[in-house]
Amino acid sequence: MDHVTDVAKRFAGGAQYIDGRPRTGGSGDTHSVVDPATGRTVWTYATAGPADVDAAVAAAKAALPGWAATAPGERSAALHRLSAALDARADELARAETLQCGKPIKLSTEFDVPGTVDNAAFFAGAARHLEGKAAGEYSPDHTSYVRREPVGVIGSVAPWNYPLQMAGWKILPAVAAGNTIVLKPSELTPLTALMFAEAATEAGIPDGVLNIVTGTGQGAGEHLVTHPDVAMTSFTGSTAVGTRIARLTAGTVKRLHLELGGKAPFVVFADADLDAAVHGAVAAALINSGQDCTAATRAYVQRPLYDAFVTAVADLMATVRLGDPADPATDLGPLISFAHRDRVAAVVERARTYATVVTGGAAPGGGLAAGAYYRPTLLTGAPQHSEAVQQEIFGPVLAVLPFDSDDQGLAYANDTPYGLAASAWTRDVYRAGRAAREITAGCVWINDHIPIVSEMPHGGAKSSGFGKDMSTYSFEEYTQVKHVMFDNTAVARKDWHRTVFGDR
């Protein structure tokens, strides 16, 4: 069946999923999902407006008492069923992810979908382990214990680069901890978030626990994050938008979790395995066409390896196969849109005035000209203070700079506003330990770059935001700590009362 017809039939109910069923948005506006590999419109849908957000929040608020009171074992069982439901539709999810994002099918099939299935399985187990401090007599006359309780209705906003995984990262810890949620996926890529919600209903998660509103930031997102019945906002996206959300929510005293931009350094010391570093750099710079906030974007290479590293990276980039994302042989797909491709290209064009484009630096022609493709690009000679080194490009562009002393390399690594992820490449355990300690980032990989696991946290520092996704550390975002204290004495007139009235 033609993919446009297939998607139109698949999502005929609308791009909103509220209180357990699809519905049509009521903003009066429409938006289109566009296949960035071909420029073809895949689906045009009615977007959400404030009334849709209100309905979704109301459904989440109504479902909250029942879901929060559900025993952890029951929530765990529901999430295990959700993991199985997602796994059962893995092929469909992968195809939809590739269609709306343009990412190669091998990435969707081997990374995005299994990662989300695993994340659901992890939080199914973690739902049974919401731990607090052990009950005890921390005061001689009282017994204390700590409860972890749901925060309430969560209003989350997810990005377009990993629509399925980011939906999972927002939904799963929130729901596992007993919250209910309204998620706004990117209006560019709503398909797999809607499929996730359908799988949740199929798994027996009650209506209203998980709701999807699909619309623009101004039309739906801002109303969601400032809604008085939303107790927490979780946002993944650019630092600029995250800063705006922080301003919008400042007067509401709601909890805020921000996972923002990145400019990950890739530090190669002179004793590193050059072949491993070269392959690691190309993979880490080009994953998802570079549209990854943890992607390697600036490689600092100690001078003895610098020339060989540049030559080898350029040679390896030249072997990367651009093509149809649905073809399993394709390595690199298009960027998310022509507008974004043009922004990336503009950064590279400006860089030509102060740096050298070693390879790439252009959109391909021929059969790929109809898509938003951009060739893998390697820059050298860019100064540390330049735009290409300091600002997030979010495309398949790697800048390589030399350094001399270890002190200089680590100083360069920390010399941007961001602090999301980094890697260090060395055979020296002391160098590795120093890099891990001194690089300011939420994650530092040693002799690798990019791998993530459900058991470990993801989140940044500095302008990359605060708070954690994945792992049990994410429960710090989605639970409220309550101290409960029992008097053990049954004494009516306590000695401490005299500090307020009367005598001993």
Side-chain angles (χ1 to χ4, degrees), residues 135-149:
E137 287 68 51
Y138 301 97
S139 156
D141 294 339
H142 304 84
T143 295
S144 289
Y145 66 87
V146 170
R147 292 173 55 87
R148 283 196 176 273
E149 297 181 346

Side-chain angles (χ1 to χ4, degrees), residues 53-382:
V53 173
D54 289 342
V57 173
K61 184 178 180 181
L64 178 64
W67 184 248
T70 300
E74 292 181 51
R75 293 201 297 267
S76 173
L79 290 174
H80 275 300
R81 294 192 298 270
L82 173 58
S83 179
L86 293 169
D87 192 37
R89 60 185 70 189
D91 289 345
E92 183 185 14
L93 286 165
R95 289 195 302 272
E97 198 77 331
T98 288
L99 181 63
Q100 66 182 351
C101 298
K103 64 179 64 191
I105 191 66
K106 65 180 180 179
L107 182 64
S108 297
T109 301
E110 298 178 28
F111 182 70
D112 295 67
V113 174
T116 304
V117 171
D118 181 73
N119 215 228
F122 170 79
F123 279 106
R128 305 184 79 138
H129 297 283
L130 289 171
E131 296 180 346
K133 183 174 283 191
E137 287 68 51
Y138 301 97
S139 156
D141 294 339
H142 304 84
T143 295
S144 289
Y145 66 87
V146 170
R147 292 173 55 87
R148 283 196 176 273
E149 297 181 346
V151 173
V153 176
I154 312 298
S156 291
V157 179
W160 49 257
N161 58 334
Y162 291 100
L164 178 62
Q165 288 209 68
M166 294 300 100
W169 286 17
K170 299 301 182 195
I171 293 164
L172 292 165
V175 170
N179 302 280
T180 56
I181 187 169
V182 179
L183 173 75
K184 191 197 90 65
S186 169
E187 63 273 22
L188 301 176
T189 56
L191 303 182
T192 47
L194 293 167
M195 294 167 67
F196 191 109
E198 291 174 344
T201 297
E202 178 185 305
I205 293 176
D207 294 349
V209 171
L210 165 56
N211 307 275
I212 306 291
V213 290
T214 308
T216 64
Q218 289 186 331
E222 292 190 3
H223 191 61
L224 175 61
V225 302
T226 58
H227 198 289
D229 289 332
V230 168
M232 172 187 164
T233 290
S234 177
F235 170 77
T236 295
S238 71
T239 298
V241 176
T243 301
R244 175 165 174 75
I245 287 175
R247 291 195 184 105
L248 288 170
T249 58
T252 66
V253 200
K254 65 183 70 203
R255 190 174 294 196
L256 187 60
H257 166 216
L258 299 174
E259 197 268 272
L260 306 177
K263 191 70 179 174
F266 187 101
V267 184
V268 182
F269 293 98
D271 67 323
D273 180 328
L274 178 62
D275 190 48
V278 166
H279 282 79
V282 172
L286 301 185
I287 186 171
N288 205 35
S289 298
Q291 300 168 130
D292 187 310
C293 49
T294 64
T297 59
R298 50 194 177 105
Y300 298 105
V301 184
Q302 208 151 24
R303 208 169 291 274
L305 292 185
Y306 176 79
D307 289 339
F309 180 88
V310 169
T311 298
V313 167
D315 290 345
L316 189 56
M317 279 187 170
T319 70
V320 172
R321 299 164 296 188
L322 282 70
D324 179 1
D327 184 345
T330 292
D331 296 323
L332 195 72
L335 298 178
I336 187 63
S337 68
F338 295 95
H340 184 58
R341 192 270 308 276
D342 292 345
R343 284 192 291 270
V344 171
V347 173
V348 175
E349 289 309 303
R350 290 192 293 271
R352 291 183 190 276
T353 65
Y354 57 78
T356 299
V357 177
V358 178
T359 189
L368 298 182
Y373 290 88
Y374 198 75
R375 293 193 182 281
T377 300
L378 180 64
L379 302 177
T380 60

